[in-house]
Amino acid sequence: MRLHRLKVTAFGPFAEPQEIDFDALSGAGIFLLHGPTGAGKTSVLDAVCYALYGSVPGPRQAPGTSLRSDHAAAGTPTEVTLELTAGGRRLEITRRPEQDRPKKRGTGTTKDKPQSLLRERTGDGWGGLSRSHQEIGEEIEQLLGMSREQFCQVVLLPQGEFARFLRADEAARGRLLGRLFDTRRFAAVEALLGDRRRAAEAGVRAGDEKVLHTAQRLAQAAGDSADLRDWPLPGLQPGDPGLAPAVRAWAAVARCAARERFTVTEYALAAVESRHAAARRAAEGARELDRLQRRHAETTRRAAALAEAEPERERVRRLLDRARRGALVAPALELRGAASAAHLTAAHAEAAARAELPPPLAEAGTEHLASVEQRLREDLGALGAARRSEQRSAEIGRERADLEREARAAEEQHQESAEWLERWDTTRAALAARVDAAQQAATLAEQLAGRLEPARQRLQSARKRDALTADARRAEDELLAVRAESAAARERWLELKEARLRGIAAELAEALVAGEACAVCGSAAHPAPARPAPGHVDRDAEDAAHAAFERAEEARAAVGLRLAALEEARAGAASAAGDATTAELDSLASDLSARHAAAHAAAAGLHTARERLARAEREHTARSADRLDAERRVAARSSRREALDREQASLEAELAQVRGDAPTVAARARTLEDRVRMVAAAAGALRRAETTAARLKEADDQLADAAFRAGFDTVEAAAEAVLPEYERTALQHRMDAWQAEQAMLADRLGETGTAEAAALPPAAPEAAEAYAALAAAKLRTAGSAHDAARVRCAELDALSRRAEQELRALGPLRDAYERVARLAGLTAGTSADNERKMRLEAYVLAARLEQVAAAATVRLLRMSGGRYTLVHSDARAGGRGRSGLGLHVVDAWTGSERDTATLSGGETFFASLALALGLADVVTDEAGGMRLDTLFIDEGFGSLDDQALDEVLDVLDSLRERDRSVGIVSHVADLRTRVQTQLEIVKQRGGSVVRHRTAALTD
């Protein structure tokens, strides 16, 4: 993987768009990324990681942390674009995080969703591949072969973490290596085997408990047999190897004892059944003899009682005969009673109806009343036409009243319209004047608006001109101060540099080694090496003075640029404002604004005035037309009123003849209707009375004839003989009961067995029943014992088969548990076979750590001058600790091996850098051999002396043999003179900026 170009906008400390050309930086092999604290060095690495994986490393991706620059303008979107080569493909990744932006309409902000774009350059240019976050993440991770965590450890090389790695215990090392080499599958194997061991153990325990439960049920089914008292269950537990043979043996003994008891109960049951059958037959014979003897005694008693009731039987027989003959006369009696009641009701109704009739009709007959009713109905029918005439007369009255109201309303409307039309000329002139005034005000407002906006712009430019003039004066003063500081710093640096050059011989003499050639003259002899003079200036003092001068120069340049920008802005504002003063422009803008507001307010009524004038003209036209129409309606109402008067006079003359004495035709009609109803009711009552009288006479004749045919002398005798239905039924039931009793007694007296039983001695059924009950109880006891023995045998057989099945099924489970338990203990490091107590994941990581130590040693030997070697140790840890991830350093000077935690600060940097580079090689090979052409080393160089720094730079420079470029992130000032290609991050008030620099190397 090689980085080519990075562009960031509004990201971290970078407000404006910044572009980093990694191709230019990688040409020298090593480049320096430096800048003051907080300038944004780490943000460059964050931008690379964010472009690749959509997130930044470590805690900087915490929830609530924003990637957007606080210095950026509100409308500038946060965006990162990275161009790289991976897997032989030239790709470009663009990402935008979720961020707020100003709304396009209105005020406030709206939230934009995160966006991603992946493009690939082909022969036809750049082509889009995907806009999906997930697809882009999967594509990049597949091309690089590394997760985000691996990329941050392998490409960014954070030295602090590897220094902690050297001093960490084996558990911490295991966590870091596990993230880098993704050994989760081995941890998953450990967990899987542990879960399977626990599951198998639970299965075996459940099987043992199931067998013990079945054995307990065997004990319950066996009962309290004396042969089974030696029960082994209390001494057995789940997992006991003797459980199976003990349960099998005890179940066999229980089944044999149960079968013996079952055979004994079979013989006992047969003997009890024979005795119970004999007792049951004896009890049945005693019960039958007792029944026959009691039957004979009851028959004799009931025959005597029937003979004593013979007189009562004769009386009831006579009553029934008389009631049967009276039942023949009952229909005629009921008919005569109904006819008498109907005639009485009709006679009362006739008397009431005649009382309501007038005296001339009080004694009239049916025919006379019918003729009077017909005549009254004819008079009532003749009133229909008169009713319609009376209704029409009432309608004419209402119409005349409506005409009068309309006439009065029309007169009032006509008067109001006439007055309004008289005022029309004055009203129209006033409304037209208002329209003209508003029109003139609108024209004036437009003219003033055209002058107001330029005046406001000039006023704003004048104010800006004044503010920039004050800022420029302050910048000029500041520039004079920083120029003086820069000149003083330059003088100080030149003085120190000249002093150092005067004493450079002593500085070169300090590097002389006996027997080695001098770098200046080439001689191996050094007879009189120079000694430092008092007040000698070393290289550090010169570098510090030079750095102070550079900072002063940067400050001077920044102030000069700011002053130039202020002067340019002030000139632009002065040109826009003109020669007028701010007060004059403010007065002019205020006057124009007041006049424009007044004219605009007056012009606002133009539309209203025009609407009022148009509405008044429409009203004038409508009122003129209404006046003509009203005159036509007055003439029409007069003609209609005269026609209604003539029609009403004709109708009133006709109605006067029809009404007679009644006030209205309706009253006359109600009188006739009452008379018709009264006459009709009297005629109907008279007809009903005549009809009921005829029916009553016919019913009397029928009753006399029925009494004679039934054998009664008089009608009164027949009425007395009639009995109610319930009395006749009760008498008949008594006769039927006597006859049934007589027939039953005759049958019983004819039975031969009853008489024979009566001649025998009295029976004793209670004693026989008691003996039979005792025999039945013995039979039930023997049957229960037999059933219990049979059920016990069946249950013991079933439970024995079930226990055998459970024991057979438990065998494979126990074998599987033993295999899984051995494997789980071995992978977890708890088994006795695992002598070093190494877990499977730790074993794999130990192999990886051994590879990392070997790769790191190659570079550590060179950086330490062949002194130190990193070796992997799998020695067993003390106590309960695990082993396999130990890391030691071998000191070639002493020949001793010690823990890496004992290294000094500079030695720790050597070891951690070598470890980081070695880890990068191993992880690269692990990722499928993906080339990592760009690496970054973050800090840690401040702990090195000059010689160590040269050795480290030589090692880093050797990485170019594999066509790699290394970026060093450091504050160390000496690196700026040793590393030629530099990427400087400059911190400014409005946001950091990026500068590419090439520094000349010192000799």
Side-chain angles (χ1 to χ4, degrees):
M1 179 199 75
R2 176 178 292 277
L3 305 181
H4 298 292
R5 182 178 56 86
L6 174 67
K7 182 178 181 181
V8 295
T9 303
F11 183 87
F14 305 107
E16 298 298 328
Q18 304 294 322
E19 184 172 351
I20 300 173
D21 189 354
F22 285 110
D23 288 335
L25 295 173
S26 302
I30 300 177
F31 62 91
L32 177 65
L33 177 61
H34 69 95
T37 301
K41 300 185 298 297
T42 306
S43 296
V44 174
L45 308 183
D46 291 346
V48 173
C49 186
Y50 177 72
L52 291 173
Y53 296 96
S55 61
V56 298
R60 294 188 291 278
Q61 189 63 19
T65 304
S66 175
L67 301 179
R68 180 170 178 77
S69 174
D70 296 333
H71 304 284
T76 303
T78 299
E79 183 177 274
V80 176
T81 301
L82 177 65
E83 186 178 340
L84 73 156
T85 297
R89 299 167 61 185
R90 187 72 171 259
L91 303 174
E92 182 189 72
I93 308 170
T94 302
R95 293 187 187 269
R96 287 187 177 184
E98 184 181 76
Q99 55 191 302
D100 294 331
R101 62 166 176 82
K103 293 183 178 178
K104 296 180 179 179
R105 296 180 180 177
T107 60
T109 61
T110 183
K111 190 175 291 297
D112 280 345
K113 295 182 179 180
Q115 302 177 21
S116 298
L117 173 62
L118 176 63
R119 300 195 304 169
E120 182 176 6
R121 191 166 71 180
T122 60
D124 299 332
W126 290 99
L129 295 180
S130 176
R131 290 183 177 271
S132 170
H133 304 295
Q134 182 176 2
E135 291 179 0
I136 294 174
E138 293 175 355
E139 181 74 14
I140 295 301
E141 189 165 344
Q142 183 177 2
L143 285 174
L144 300 184
M146 290 181 289
S147 63
R148 181 175 67 89
E149 291 76 9
Q150 290 176 318
F151 178 83
C152 294
Q153 292 290 146
V154 174
V155 178
L156 304 186
L157 300 181
Q159 295 303 298
E161 291 193 14
F162 283 98
R164 288 192 295 271
F165 179 81
L166 291 172
R167 296 184 175 91
D169 57 8
E170 296 191 2
R173 288 174 184 164
R175 287 193 295 270
L176 175 61
L177 293 174
R179 289 198 307 269
L180 294 177
F181 294 105
D182 193 14
T183 57
R184 289 175 295 181
R185 59 187 182 277
F186 300 104
V189 169
E190 296 178 22
L192 178 62
L193 289 174
D195 293 341
R196 288 188 177 180
R197 179 188 61 77
R198 288 187 291 273
E201 183 180 6
V204 171
R205 180 173 293 276
D208 288 345
E209 292 177 352
K210 193 174 182 181
V211 170
L212 288 175
H213 178 68
T214 304
Q216 290 173 351
R217 293 187 58 184
L218 277 168
Q220 294 174 357
D224 55 351
S225 174
D227 298 334
L228 304 176
R229 291 177 182 174
D230 188 13
W231 165 235
L233 185 60
L236 296 176
Q237 297 296 331
D240 194 336
L243 178 64
V247 171
R248 285 191 177 98
W250 192 90
V253 174
R255 290 196 303 274
C256 293
R259 289 192 183 93
E260 292 177 358
R261 297 181 65 178
F262 177 66
T263 303
V264 171
T265 56
E266 281 184 340
Y267 288 114
L269 179 62
V272 172
E273 282 179 348
S274 62
R275 289 194 295 271
H276 175 262
R280 187 175 60 215
R281 289 193 296 272
E284 290 176 356
R287 285 198 301 273
E288 180 63 19
L289 177 61
D290 179 68
R291 184 185 69 79
L292 292 175
Q293 288 178 348
R294 287 187 285 104
R295 183 180 180 86
H296 182 270
E298 183 183 3
T299 301
T300 303
R301 178 182 56 78
R302 293 172 67 177
L306 184 61
E308 292 178 358
E310 183 60 29
E312 180 64 17
R313 289 173 60 194
E314 185 61 27
R315 186 185 69 81
V316 171
R317 189 180 296 109
R318 289 196 299 272
L319 287 176
L320 279 175
D321 180 65
R322 184 178 177 83
R324 281 194 297 270
R325 288 187 292 111
L328 300 175
V329 186
L333 285 171
E334 293 178 359
L335 181 61
R336 199 268 176 191
S340 176
H343 177 63
L344 184 60
T345 302
H348 286 301
E350 178 187 2
R354 286 185 179 277
E356 293 181 359
L357 290 174
L361 298 178
E363 299 298 332
T366 306
E367 295 179 358
H368 186 195
L369 292 175
S371 63
V372 171
E373 179 184 0
Q374 181 65 28
R375 187 173 64 255
L376 291 173
R377 292 186 182 277
E378 291 174 357
D379 293 341
L380 183 61
L383 293 178
R387 286 181 178 178
R388 290 189 294 273
S389 297
E390 189 177 41
Q391 292 175 357
R392 177 56 186 161
S393 177
E395 291 176 358
I396 290 172
R398 288 192 295 271
E399 289 183 11
R400 291 185 78 256
D402 292 341
L403 288 174
E404 292 296 334
R405 284 194 301 273
E406 290 178 1
R408 288 192 298 272
E411 182 64 24
E412 294 175 357
Q413 181 66 27
H414 177 72
Q415 183 66 26
E416 194 269 336
S417 296
E419 294 175 356
W420 191 90
L421 290 173
E422 288 177 359
R423 298 190 306 270
W424 165 241
D425 294 335
T426 305
T427 303
R428 186 178 184 282
L431 292 175
R434 290 183 183 178
V435 172
D436 293 340
Q439 183 66 47
Q440 294 174 2
T443 303
L444 179 60
E446 292 178 0
Q447 296 173 355
L448 292 174
R451 298 172 56 192
L452 178 60
E453 186 59 29
R456 287 176 175 172
Q457 292 179 357
R458 290 182 63 193
L459 175 60
Q460 184 178 2
S461 298
R463 289 172 177 171
K464 185 178 180 182
R465 176 194 61 194
D466 296 344
L468 291 173
T469 299
D471 292 342
R473 291 196 187 98
R474 288 192 294 271
E476 289 173 355
D477 297 339
E478 186 179 355
L479 180 59
L480 293 176
V482 297
R483 279 177 178 173
E485 293 177 1
S486 176
R490 186 174 184 277
E491 290 296 332
R492 174 62 178 167
W493 170 57
L494 292 176
E495 290 175 358
L496 293 178
K497 183 176 183 180
E498 185 178 358
R500 179 170 176 261
L501 291 176
R502 288 195 300 267
I504 195 65
E507 187 174 335
L508 293 174
E510 290 181 353
L512 294 176
V513 179
E516 293 184 3
C518 176
V520 178
C521 64
S523 174
H526 315 298
R531 294 289 181 264
H536 174 69
V537 178
D538 58 5
R539 183 171 184 172
D540 292 339
E542 180 189 354
D543 290 342
H546 183 265
F549 168 64
E550 287 184 343
R551 289 195 296 272
E553 276 294 301
E554 291 174 358
R556 183 192 61 77
V559 174
L561 291 175
R562 180 154 54 87
L563 178 59
L566 290 173
E567 289 292 343
E568 183 179 357
R570 187 184 67 82
S575 176
D579 298 333
T581 64
T582 304
E584 292 173 349
L585 292 175
D586 190 9
S587 176
L588 176 60
S590 299
D591 179 61
L592 290 175
S593 179
R595 293 171 58 192
H596 176 266
H600 186 271
L606 176 60
H607 178 73
T608 303
R610 287 176 175 174
E611 286 292 327
R612 288 181 179 178
L613 178 59
R615 189 162 56 248
E617 290 177 347
R618 289 194 298 271
E619 186 175 0
H620 174 265
T621 302
R623 285 181 181 272
S624 299
D626 290 344
R627 182 171 60 181
L628 295 177
D629 186 60
E631 293 174 355
R632 288 194 298 270
R633 286 197 297 272
V634 167
R637 280 194 295 273
S638 299
S639 300
R640 179 61 178 166
R641 188 185 298 109
E642 293 175 358
L644 291 176
D645 290 343
R646 289 193 298 271
E647 183 180 2
Q648 189 173 27
S650 175
L651 291 175
E652 287 298 329
E654 181 181 352
L655 290 174
Q657 296 177 1
V658 176
R659 286 195 296 262
D661 299 335
T664 63
V665 175
R668 176 64 177 169
R670 285 194 298 272
T671 301
L672 291 177
E673 288 173 355
D674 292 340
R675 291 179 181 178
V676 169
R677 186 167 52 255
M678 180 177 59
V679 172
L686 181 58
R687 285 193 294 271
R688 284 193 296 275
E690 292 174 352
T691 301
T692 55
R695 289 179 180 174
L696 178 61
K697 182 178 181 307
E698 183 180 359
D700 288 338
D701 295 341
Q702 292 178 357
L703 178 57
D705 183 57
F708 176 76
R709 287 198 301 271
F712 295 101
D713 296 335
T714 62
V715 174
E716 290 75 9
E720 293 177 358
V722 175
L723 293 177
E725 182 65 22
Y726 69 90
E727 291 185 5
R728 287 191 289 109
T729 302
L731 292 175
Q732 185 63 44
H733 286 169
R734 292 183 67 186
M735 288 299 300
D736 294 343
W738 280 330
Q739 291 176 1
E741 180 77 4
Q742 186 176 8
M744 184 271 294
L745 292 175
D747 292 340
R748 285 189 177 182
L749 291 174
E751 295 175 352
T752 57
T754 304
E756 293 176 354
L760 294 175
E766 292 79 4
E769 287 290 342
Y771 182 74
L774 180 61
K778 293 180 179 180
L779 178 62
R780 286 192 298 273
T781 301
S784 298
H786 178 266
D787 291 340
R790 177 176 52 79
V791 170
R792 181 182 292 109
C793 288
E795 189 172 359
L796 288 175
D797 290 341
L799 290 174
S800 297
R801 289 192 299 271
R802 180 175 176 179
E804 185 63 28
Q805 293 173 357
E806 292 171 353
L807 290 172
R808 290 177 180 175
L810 189 57
L813 290 179
R814 195 180 299 279
D815 296 339
Y817 166 69
E818 292 176 355
R819 290 194 302 272
V820 172
R822 286 196 301 272
L823 286 175
L826 189 62
T827 57
T830 58
S831 172
D833 298 332
N834 192 336
E835 297 179 358
R836 298 189 179 275
K837 301 174 66 176
M838 290 180 64
R839 295 171 47 235
L840 176 61
E841 184 181 13
Y843 178 77
V844 175
L845 292 177
R848 292 290 188 266
L849 183 58
E850 188 174 2
Q851 296 174 0
V852 171
T857 297
V858 176
R859 294 180 175 87
L860 182 58
L861 285 171
R862 185 172 179 181
M863 285 187 285
S864 63
R867 179 179 180 182
Y868 293 120
T869 302
L870 283 176
V871 295
H872 163 251
S873 173
D874 59 356
R876 181 171 179 177
R880 302 180 61 185
R882 301 295 174 88
S883 60
L885 297 180
L887 191 62
H888 292 172
V889 62
V890 178
D891 191 343
W893 291 5
T894 63
S896 63
E897 179 178 339
R898 53 194 173 99
D899 193 89
T900 55
T902 62
L903 294 173
S904 64
E907 294 170 344
T908 299
F909 175 75
F910 282 158
S912 61
L913 179 58
L915 189 65
L917 295 174
L919 181 65
D921 293 339
V922 175
V923 173
T924 300
D925 296 337
E926 179 73 14
M930 171 64 67
R931 287 177 54 83
L932 300 178
D933 299 323
T934 306
L935 300 177
F936 294 92
I937 301 176
D938 191 0
E939 293 299 346
F941 294 88
S943 61
L944 304 179
D945 55 22
D946 292 343
Q947 182 179 356
L949 184 60
D950 289 336
E951 293 172 348
V952 169
L953 292 178
D954 289 341
V955 172
L956 296 179
D957 191 57
S958 67
L959 295 176
R960 287 188 294 177
E961 299 173 0
R962 301 179 64 177
D963 196 19
R964 284 183 175 177
S965 61
V966 180
I968 300 175
V969 184
S970 177
H971 290 281
V972 178
D974 199 20
L975 286 174
R976 301 180 192 176
T977 60
R978 295 173 181 262
V979 180
Q980 182 178 6
T981 305
Q982 300 176 10
L983 180 66
E984 182 180 9
I985 311 298
V986 180
K987 181 167 61 174
Q988 298 180 355
R989 182 179 296 274
S992 299
V993 296
V994 177
R995 294 179 181 174
H996 293 262
R997 300 182 60 181
T998 301
L1001 295 176
T1002 59
D1003 292 334

